[in-house]
Amino acid sequence: MSENVVHLHKHTDPPTTDTAPTVLTVVPDAPAAPIVPLWVRSGHAVKTAATHEKTKTAARAIARHSLYTFNGGRIVARRTWDGKTGARYERMIRAAEAAGNLEVAEEWEERLQRFRAARHHRRMDLLHSPVEAAKGVAVGTGMGIGALVALGIVMAINNGDIADVITPLAATIEFIATVIRIVQIVWGPALTIGPFLALLALWAVGSKQQAAPAWSMPDHVRSGEGEPITPSIVVKALRDLGVPALRNAIKEMGDAGASMLGPIRIAGCGVEVDVTLPSGVSTIEVQNRRRKLAENLTRHEHEVFINIPQAARTVRLWVADSGALDEPIGPSPLVTDETMTADYTKGRAPWGQDLRGDAAALSVYQRHLLITGLSNQGKTAALRALALWLALDRSVEFRIADLKGAGDWAMFDGLASLLIQGPTDDHVIQATEMVEGLVTEMERRLQSPPGTVFLPLVGIVDEAQVAFMCPLKDADKNPYGGSKATSRYFMAVRKVHNQGRAVNVTLWEGTQDPTDQNLPKLVREGAHTRASLVLGSESQAKMALGDKAVEGGAAPHLLRQGLDKGTLVVASDGIAIPAGQASITIRTHYIDDADANAIADRAKAMRDGVTTLHVIERGAEHDPLADIASVVGTAERVRTKDVLPRLGTLNADAYGGWSFIDLKRVLDGTGAEPYKSDGVMVISRDRLARALANRDSEGSASAAE
């Protein structure tokens, strides 16, 4: 046992008048540090050196360049073999057969037969070539010597020296000897350097083809971030997709799958390529593996879109540049161009940009519209952008019900003839009666004389799911919500969908998180233009856009919630969609409230003044003359054909069936009779005011008597 070692410390206090005793303290010595064996320290150092990043980088570099040389030799050997044999033709035949293209296979078969015939001819020529070569050498040598001797004779005659006869022959022999000496000098170093030059050539071939595993590549190459899309990358991504039939077909193709690809075209912020799948591979097998395909292409899932074009057994891939879809698009032309106007019949609304970066414009002419998506993803902004553009056509009348009531549609006060804002059941009742008013106006127009021209009437219901889910019933026990034959809102929407477009009465609806309960099947299928923001599932995507669009590649359920706000997948004949596709993806322009108010002010300046009603009067006493004055509003004069629908909006029960004859009957004898101005019948605001004042004064006088 080791003994404890102690130290004696003598503590001395400061000097005082009294002498203090000396104190001795025993302090144990600190424990000694453990001694680490040398081999342990060496092992730690070796491990640190082996795992250091510089060591890993050096090891990858050595492996990479070694494999460049080895695989370069394989590439050269294969090229040589292909050049000497018919292997290339056989691979192309197998590729054509795998793709089901028998005509191309027959063409390559003919080429292979021609190649074999030419090769046989060359081989037969080689059998006779030694004799022919010997004869040629003998004849050539004899002729050469004769020519040299003849040249020497000429020189001898010219110089008068017989020795010049052999001078050309001697010079030739000396030249040959010199060449032999040079070859003897160079031959040794060439044998030494030649193999290194051959290895360098093989390395160059392998380096150009990057013939090394991904793990051996430098970091910037291994990451693949932003890597351009090339044919080899696309084929490799398809080969590794996990579809056995596709993988085997690519292996059997002589061109390693290149024949499947069409040209890679630049398309906006990405590229587009058509892929013809080999026989036995279905397009749905590729569509169902979108995420894996994107990862194989070193992209995120939202950066790859798969559509089905017209060509059979073909998928169209659109691959975005890395990170491009996270960049915002520019402002709306409605904001930047203050001179822009709209045309309901022939115009197209500037809605945003497609994935190729081209402007996406939508025609709303005689088309019912449905926009759906999850909450807070840009539904109202997308719907409002279309309405703001259409408001720049002064002939369009709007009736709007905003069942959220957050003020998103407040700028249409003074533009819309009716503006309902609020989320309560009473607002749902008002919205239902607004749509029923559209039905009344539609039926009036349908019964008009043939050839009558009708101005556009657009009804907008934002947050329509609130109306469908309303539990209230009217006095006759008919529900306002639901999807039964007695459901008032549902039946009114169905009637407008059935016949409204024929007389320019259309309905636009915005709804969120669609289900069969809050968006019935008959309603969603009645819309001509169907658009969807991000959704939670494929079943919801089919509700929003229809089965055909989703099966054709539409995938709003694969958009990113919160990150792809304002990105719509649209199925409509009112927008340019690439041939063969059933839908198109649009990144919509965002118009904030300030810009929306400015656009609305421009639209108001184009009109003579619109009186916006905020409630619909039901079953109350009405004064026709006062109501006419009310709907004329502040405009100096209004056309009679505009007054009638405004009266119907104000009180459908009282004025829904009115015609020009009814209007004239009320105004006759009041001094405010309709009159012609610029060839159209109008009603004057000032004349109405005088008629009301005269009536009130006459009423007061009668009461006084």
Side-chain angles (χ1 to χ4, degrees), residues 608-610 632-638 646 683-686:
D608 295 329
V610 176
V632 168
T634 59
E636 182 179 352
R637 56 182 178 269
V638 178
R646 293 183 187 182
I683 297 174
S684 169
R685 174 197 61 193
D686 296 337

Side-chain angles (χ1 to χ4, degrees), residues 399-573:
R399 300 182 189 180
I400 301 173
D402 174 16
L403 296 181
K404 179 165 55 177
D408 293 331
W409 295 88
M411 69 287 302
F412 280 82
D413 194 351
L415 274 177
S417 59
L418 177 63
L419 179 60
I420 300 166
Q421 300 181 91
T424 68
D425 290 340
D426 187 59
H427 291 101
V428 172
I429 295 173
Q430 293 279 331
T432 301
E433 293 179 348
M434 181 195 82
V435 180
E436 290 174 340
L438 295 178
V439 175
T440 302
E441 174 62 16
M442 175 192 74
E443 292 173 345
R444 184 190 70 81
R445 294 184 177 190
L446 288 170
Q447 298 174 38
S448 298
T452 304
V453 178
F454 304 107
L455 296 180
L457 173 58
V458 178
I460 301 175
V461 181
D462 196 8
E463 306 295 342
Q465 76 280 355
V466 177
F468 284 113
M469 298 301 291
C470 180
L472 290 185
K473 296 183 178 181
D474 62 13
D476 297 326
K477 303 299 182 180
N478 293 321
Y480 285 95
S483 57
K484 297 180 180 179
T486 56
S487 300
R488 291 180 57 179
Y489 181 80
F490 170 74
M491 291 305 298
V493 171
R494 288 290 301 132
K495 289 178 181 178
V496 174
H497 279 179
N498 287 339
Q499 296 176 302
R501 62 175 298 275
V503 288
N504 283 342
V505 177
T506 54
L507 180 63
W508 299 358
E509 291 181 286
T511 182
Q512 63 178 253
D513 202 10
T515 65
D516 284 327
Q517 289 72 39
N518 65 24
L519 188 59
K521 184 175 186 292
L522 292 177
V523 171
R524 59 185 186 249
E525 291 185 351
H528 303 99
T529 295
R530 301 168 72 172
S532 177
L533 297 144
V534 58
L535 288 171
S537 66
E538 183 176 341
S539 61
Q540 285 187 316
K542 290 183 177 180
M543 289 183 189
L545 300 176
D547 292 354
K548 180 180 178 181
V550 175
E551 290 169 0
H557 55 291
L558 297 181
L559 296 173
R560 301 168 297 167
Q561 185 173 1
L563 297 177
D564 290 324
K565 282 188 175 182
T567 300
L568 282 168
V569 182
V570 182
S572 172
D573 61 351

Side-chain angles (χ1 to χ4, degrees), residues 160-443:
D161 187 358
I162 191 63
D164 287 342
V165 173
I166 62 171
T167 297
L169 187 59
T172 301
I173 294 172
E174 185 177 353
F175 172 74
I176 294 173
T178 303
V179 171
I180 292 173
R181 286 195 297 272
I182 293 173
V183 170
Q184 289 175 340
I185 294 171
V186 174
W187 184 252
L191 289 177
T192 304
I193 299 174
F196 293 100
L197 294 176
L199 290 175
L200 181 62
L202 296 178
W203 175 88
V205 173
S207 175
K208 185 176 181 180
Q209 298 291 329
Q210 290 193 343
W215 58 264
S216 66
M217 294 296 180
D219 291 338
H220 69 279
V221 176
R222 237 174 336 119
S223 66
E225 200 67 32
E227 186 177 5
I229 300 300
T230 62
S232 60
I233 289 176
V234 175
V235 171
K236 185 178 179 182
L238 293 169
R239 184 195 66 193
D240 299 337
L241 201 54
V243 182
L246 180 59
R247 181 179 63 251
N248 295 335
I250 292 175
K251 286 182 178 179
E252 293 176 359
M253 291 181 182
D255 57 355
S259 60
M260 297 192 306
L261 306 184
I264 296 180
R265 304 176 294 273
I266 296 176
C269 57
V271 296
E272 186 178 72
V273 59
D274 286 351
V275 180
T276 302
L277 300 176
S279 178
V281 181
S282 171
T283 55
I284 193 66
E285 293 181 278
V286 177
Q287 283 185 299
N288 290 341
R289 291 169 171 81
R290 177 185 174 189
R291 175 176 294 181
K292 190 170 185 179
L293 178 61
E295 292 171 351
N296 290 348
L297 293 169
T298 66
R299 294 295 190 272
H300 297 291
E301 184 177 11
H302 71 276
E303 294 176 328
V304 174
F305 289 82
I306 305 173
N307 292 304
I308 309 300
Q310 285 181 328
R313 216 171 62 241
T314 302
V315 293
R316 177 169 294 160
L317 306 181
W318 185 86
V319 185
D321 297 336
S322 184
L325 293 184
D326 296 326
E327 298 293 330
I329 64 174
S332 170
L334 291 172
V335 176
T336 58
D337 185 2
E338 295 185 356
T339 63
M340 177 175 283
T341 58
D343 185 342
Y344 170 77
T345 304
K346 299 179 181 179
R348 291 179 177 265
W351 213 5
Q353 293 180 359
D354 62 17
L355 295 179
R356 296 166 180 79
D358 299 328
L362 178 72
S363 171
V364 297
Y365 175 63
Q366 292 187 344
R367 290 179 175 88
H368 303 302
L369 175 70
L370 172 65
I371 299 180
T372 187
L374 298 181
S375 177
N376 194 32
Q377 298 302 307
K379 167 179 53 62
T380 298
L383 186 61
R384 189 177 69 180
L386 294 177
L388 287 170
W389 172 80
L390 191 56
L392 297 176
D393 183 343
R394 65 188 306 272
S395 67
V396 179
E397 178 189 353
F398 291 97
R399 300 182 189 180
I400 301 173
D402 174 16
L403 296 181
K404 179 165 55 177
D408 293 331
W409 295 88
M411 69 287 302
F412 280 82
D413 194 351
L415 274 177
S417 59
L418 177 63
L419 179 60
I420 300 166
Q421 300 181 91
T424 68
D425 290 340
D426 187 59
H427 291 101
V428 172
I429 295 173
Q430 293 279 331
T432 301
E433 293 179 348
M434 181 195 82
V435 180
E436 290 174 340
L438 295 178
V439 175
T440 302
E441 174 62 16
M442 175 192 74
E443 292 173 345

Side-chain angles (χ1 to χ4, degrees), residues 6-200:
V6 299
H7 297 279
L8 299 179
H9 295 276
K10 182 178 180 181
H11 297 275
T12 305
D13 293 334
T16 59
T17 55
D18 299 328
T19 303
T22 301
V23 180
L24 296 178
T25 305
V26 179
V27 181
D29 194 6
I35 299 175
V36 180
L38 180 61
W39 64 270
V40 174
R41 293 200 301 271
S42 300
H44 289 167
V46 170
K47 182 179 180 181
T48 302
T51 57
H52 195 275
E53 188 60 33
K54 290 185 177 179
T55 305
K56 293 180 181 179
T57 303
R60 285 199 300 266
I62 293 172
R64 179 171 65 254
H65 293 292
S66 300
L67 290 170
Y68 278 167
T69 305
F70 176 74
N71 291 327
R74 294 178 58 190
I75 293 171
V76 170
R78 183 166 183 173
R79 290 175 179 174
T80 304
W81 177 257
D82 287 346
K84 296 295 184 181
T85 68
R88 177 185 292 109
Y89 300 93
E90 292 173 356
R91 286 201 304 271
M92 298 304 295
I93 292 171
R94 289 196 299 270
E97 290 175 346
N101 197 336
L102 298 181
E103 293 181 359
V104 175
E106 291 176 358
E107 181 180 347
W108 281 107
E109 178 70 25
E110 292 177 2
R111 293 183 182 182
L112 176 60
Q113 295 300 331
R114 290 197 297 269
F115 168 80
R116 287 174 174 170
R119 183 179 61 183
H120 176 73
H121 183 71
R122 290 194 301 271
R123 288 176 177 176
M124 295 303 295
D125 289 342
L126 287 175
L127 296 177
H128 306 285
S129 60
V131 177
E132 298 296 333
K135 292 180 179 179
V137 170
V139 173
T141 303
M143 292 180 63
I145 293 174
L148 291 174
V149 172
L151 179 61
I153 294 172
V154 172
M155 291 176 61
I157 295 172
N158 183 59
N159 296 331
D161 187 358
I162 191 63
D164 287 342
V165 173
I166 62 171
T167 297
L169 187 59
T172 301
I173 294 172
E174 185 177 353
F175 172 74
I176 294 173
T178 303
V179 171
I180 292 173
R181 286 195 297 272
I182 293 173
V183 170
Q184 289 175 340
I185 294 171
V186 174
W187 184 252
L191 289 177
T192 304
I193 299 174
F196 293 100
L197 294 176
L199 290 175
L200 181 62

